[in-house]
Amino acid sequence: MHNFVILIDRLYTLDGDHKTIGGIQTYLSALAKVIFDNFKVKPVIYQSAKHFFEIEQPHYIVKGVDTNGEINPKKTFKYLKSENSAKSTLLIWGSDQYSQPSTKFESVSIQHGIGFDTEAMHSPLKRALVNYGLTWVYKTLQRHKAIKIFENSRAAVCVDYNFLNWYRTYRSSAQISNKIHVIPNFTDIPAEPIEKNNDKISIVFARRFVDRRGVDIALQLASKLVSKYENVEFYFAGDGPKLPLVKKLVESHERIFLTKFDSSKSIDFHRGFSIAIVPSVGSEGTSLSLLEAMASNCAVVASNVGGMTNIILNNFNGSLVPPTFDEFYKELCDLIETKERLITYQKNAYITAKSSFSKANWEKEWVKVLNLTLK
């Protein structure tokens, strides 16, 4: 019997108090259940922590490795190696961002989408490169790092075709491993399409309130749309650094709302909305938020970035537009004013999610990959 171990920055908070919220956390929890159900063993998830802790759940075990409260994949991996035999252990890098060079462990790396199509400006060096017109240097370094960490593992699962096709432009056919698989993200699917009342148009932005998720675009859209249309309501669902700006806007208008929801109940949450927007400016794989909205029969308008272009066929099951206020505003106005188009998007969104992005499909593909890797 093989052991399965997963390394990630954190599934729980660094003190082990509670589970953190996020797309990767949802993904790895679901993957752990797939392993448990199909291989009859609880995977052990290793993460950084303030102190050592161990938490056992029905389908997995979480071990916090004392890294002095800092995210330290290298130290976490060192501890993982001390507890596991490479001969009987399959290592899953929960994100290729945290993978380490290793020749002993058989491993699979998960590539969650291109995260370097925007400029992260949190360090003085990065800001200087961009501000002095050296963005091309910054981008070159980003691409080099992305390839280097992706190749830490011989086998990989990509959540979209966007990354794989980009990677192909940097390697010859002979250099590309036949152990690279594409398994798009998943969503739960209601047994039947959810009926919508489109007399009142409710629009939702259910993302973290940060720049790269397009919250600034959403703020402008909310203000303009509720002012133009009396039958439109706009909901912000989430949290993040720009929460004060969201609260300020909500307080200024009676048809703009702030709410939250349990990520495990996303389908029920989206039930009451006609339209969902995903205006991310970058760093997207096959977005869970987008898929959950589509499964809930929402018409979707998404930016034409990352893996979302593997989900939306423009003018069939949604709209793909550049991540700007003007483009989103124009598209949303047309959907609000053209009910036939709105209903078509809602219907085809559900069909797409059910046919191609169901959790059952995702589980089946992962079992195939794990069996191939264990051979």
Side-chain angles (χ1 to χ4, degrees), residues 178-317:
N178 61 2
K179 294 184 178 181
I180 298 175
H181 311 272
V182 175
I183 306 178
N185 282 335
F186 63 89
T187 178
D188 290 318
I189 307 290
E192 298 293 334
I194 296 169
E195 291 188 13
K196 301 288 184 178
N197 175 10
N198 292 313
D199 293 332
K200 179 180 71 176
I201 304 295
S202 293
I203 303 172
V204 63
F205 171 80
R207 304 308 308 270
R208 185 160 167 75
F209 303 154
V210 294
D211 290 339
R212 64 172 52 191
R213 293 292 168 247
V215 65
D216 291 333
I217 296 172
L219 287 165
Q220 294 179 72
L221 289 170
S223 179
K224 289 284 188 179
L225 290 170
V226 297
S227 297
K228 182 173 182 178
Y229 300 102
E230 292 185 358
N231 66 327
V232 168
E233 295 178 341
F234 201 105
Y235 287 76
F236 289 86
D239 201 347
K242 294 209 167 181
L243 178 61
L245 289 177
V246 175
K247 284 183 174 179
K248 184 177 179 181
L249 180 63
V250 168
E251 291 166 0
S252 72
H253 206 292
E254 62 181 9
R255 283 185 284 116
I256 301 177
F257 305 94
L258 174 63
T259 186
K260 285 186 177 182
F261 65 98
D262 184 333
S263 60
S264 66
K265 299 177 181 177
S266 181
I267 302 297
D268 283 340
F269 172 76
H270 282 88
R271 182 179 295 273
F273 298 103
S274 300
I275 301 171
I277 63 167
V278 188
S280 298
V281 298
S283 190
E284 281 286 6
T286 41
S287 167
L288 287 171
S289 296
L290 177 60
L291 291 173
E292 288 164 349
M294 293 172 70
S296 306
N297 257 57
C298 292
V300 292
V301 181
S303 48
N304 56 0
V305 302
M308 294 194 293
T309 59
N310 294 159
I311 301 172
I312 300 297
L313 287 173
N314 202 33
N315 294 318
F316 171 71
N317 57 1

Side-chain angles (χ1 to χ4, degrees), residues 72-89:
N72 190 330
K74 191 172 184 179
K75 191 172 181 179
T76 305
F77 181 47
K78 183 178 180 181
Y79 184 82
L80 181 156
K81 288 192 294 183
S82 72
E83 286 201 331
N84 296 277
S85 165
K87 291 183 179 180
S88 59
T89 302

Side-chain angles (χ1 to χ4, degrees), residues 3 18 35 40 43 53 59 70 85 98 147 154 171 181 185-186 244 248 253 268-269 298 303 310 359:
N3 297 319
H18 60 274
I35 293 169
K40 310 307 177 188
F53 65 78
H59 305 117
E70 297 180 354
S85 165
Y98 305 111
I147 292 171
R154 288 186 294 274
R171 291 290 183 262
H181 311 272
N185 282 335
F186 63 89
K248 184 177 179 181
H253 206 292
D268 283 340
F269 172 76
C298 292
S303 48
N310 294 159
K359 196 172 187 178

Side-chain angles (χ1 to χ4, degrees), residues 142-207:
Q142 283 183 307
R143 291 193 294 268
H144 174 74
K145 180 183 177 183
I147 292 171
K148 182 179 178 182
I149 61 176
F150 182 67
E151 293 178 345
N152 279 337
S153 180
R154 288 186 294 274
V157 168
C158 302
V159 304
D160 61 32
Y161 292 93
N162 190 47
F163 179 88
L164 178 56
N165 286 329
W166 169 81
Y167 176 66
R168 283 172 172 150
T169 68
Y170 283 88
R171 291 290 183 262
S172 69
S173 298
Q175 289 176 304
I176 296 175
S177 170
N178 61 2
K179 294 184 178 181
I180 298 175
H181 311 272
V182 175
I183 306 178
N185 282 335
F186 63 89
T187 178
D188 290 318
I189 307 290
E192 298 293 334
I194 296 169
E195 291 188 13
K196 301 288 184 178
N197 175 10
N198 292 313
D199 293 332
K200 179 180 71 176
I201 304 295
S202 293
I203 303 172
V204 63
F205 171 80
R207 304 308 308 270

